[in-house]
Amino acid sequence: MYQPEHYRVEDVTQMHALMRARPFAAFISHGSNGLYATHLPTVLKDEGAYGVVECHLARANPHWKELAEGNEALMIFQGAEGYITPNWYPSKTLHGKVVPTWNYAVVHAYGRPEVMQDKEWLRRHVSRTHCSAGAKRTAAVDGHRCAG
């Protein structure tokens, strides 16, 4: 993605804040059948230097089979965005040399997906996804309550 240097954010804490605030991501990978994209909810875990993103693809979704090839993948987390009219720039009245733009916040997270087959992992992940999505603390998923 083209990104002018003066807009680049390298602060992992800021990137994680956006990823947690807007956890519904576009998951894109390339495999033997070409490009594949799936939109899905995620859970960000504080592991390693950049964290680990967990997500779940339905068994019926063929995208998960492509991930077993071990190719690099991309998750796009989209934050706030909006059109900026040239009328907002004070310099428009001075010289008129202004153009419209689009401001946005986005995180591109790259990595190599790992396919999990363990049913207990899946149960924990679905429960974490449910709880992090704002479920009431008393709501149960498969008999487990959200922590906290």
Side-chain angles (χ1 to χ4, degrees):
M1 176 179 94
Y2 169 69
Q3 189 177 51
E5 193 62 37
H6 58 281
Y7 291 122
R8 182 177 303 273
V9 173
E10 301 287 345
D11 183 352
V12 173
T13 302
Q14 285 184 6
M15 290 185 275
H16 281 187
L18 187 146
M19 294 165 75
R20 286 189 170 101
R22 304 292 295 261
F24 194 74
F27 184 34
I28 303 142
S29 66
H30 186 273
S32 57
N33 292 322
L35 286 173
Y36 225 107
T38 300
H39 297 265
L40 39 68
T42 64
V43 174
L44 176 62
K45 297 179 77 181
D46 291 321
E47 295 178 10
Y50 299 104
V52 172
V53 177
E54 290 185 350
C55 59
H56 169 253
L57 283 79
R59 178 82 54 191
N61 182 344
H63 190 174
W64 77 268
K65 293 176 186 171
E66 296 279 332
L67 301 176
E69 295 178 18
N71 296 325
E72 187 175 38
L74 164 66
M75 294 195 98
I76 301 174
F77 295 83
Q78 177 72 47
E81 50 79 24
Y83 173 76
I84 307 299
T85 175
N87 294 330
W88 289 358
Y89 295 113
S91 57
K92 183 175 182 180
T93 58
L94 299 174
H95 53 65
K97 296 179 183 178
V98 294
V99 296
T101 190
W102 209 278
N103 280 3
Y104 58 92
V106 66
V107 172
H108 284 192
Y110 296 88
R112 295 196 183 277
E114 180 180 348
V115 175
M116 306 298 287
Q117 299 284 355
D118 181 58
K119 289 182 181 180
E120 184 60 25
W121 179 94
L122 177 60
R123 186 194 61 73
R124 283 191 313 269
H125 170 72
V126 170
S127 179
R128 272 194 302 270
T129 302
H130 171 77
C131 292
S132 67
K136 293 180 182 176
R137 296 190 189 282
T138 57
V141 175
D142 293 333
H144 299 300
R145 301 212 179 269
C146 297

